[in-house]
Amino acid sequence: ETNWAIYAIRVLNGKLLEVRDALRLEGIECNTHYHPLHINSYYKNMGNYRDEDFPNANRVYGTLLRLPMYPQLARQDLDDMVNAVKKVMNRIHQ
């Protein structure tokens, strides 16, 4: 069961930033999410962590796009978001 704190979609095939930028042009403020801890500056300075030590974290990080989600989100906003995601995904993945 979700806690409704984050709504993310997965964007495969290396198209994450392209989809993010296209959605922003459609008025959907979205961003990448769940930066792996080993790339956080605090943890980088703590040890000798390498990207290859965390392949799953890197793989997932490269695919997650966080969509807007907040209590005041209106139904029309949700409909607009769904339509924008469909439009962008159809255009980019053709």
Side-chain angles (χ1 to χ4, degrees):
E1 187 172 321
T2 183
N3 65 2
W4 301 108
I6 294 170
Y7 192 88
I9 60 173
R10 292 194 64 201
V11 180
L12 304 178
N13 302 324
K15 303 280 187 174
L16 181 69
L17 298 180
E18 186 177 352
V19 170
R20 181 201 64 192
D21 294 344
L23 284 173
R24 286 178 176 175
L25 289 174
E26 294 289 328
I28 307 300
E29 283 301 318
C30 54
N31 212 341
T32 58
H33 198 66
Y34 286 124
H35 295 84
L37 289 178
H38 71 279
I39 67 171
N40 179 294
S41 60
Y42 177 79
Y43 292 100
K44 265 189 174 179
N45 296 329
M46 285 183 70
N48 295 321
Y49 301 117
R50 301 170 308 172
D51 279 345
E52 53 269 15
D53 294 334
F54 305 97
N56 292 332
N58 290 321
R59 180 179 45 77
V60 171
Y61 169 63
T63 66
L64 284 181
L65 190 62
R66 185 183 72 231
L67 298 175
M69 188 165 152
Y70 49 93
Q72 297 81 16
L73 198 61
R75 179 61 192 217
Q76 185 60 54
D77 296 327
L78 291 171
D79 291 342
D80 292 345
M81 197 178 334
V82 167
N83 290 329
V85 168
K86 285 180 180 179
K87 176 182 175 182
V88 166
M89 296 300 255
N90 286 332
R91 185 177 72 234
I92 288 177
H93 289 291
Q94 286 183 348

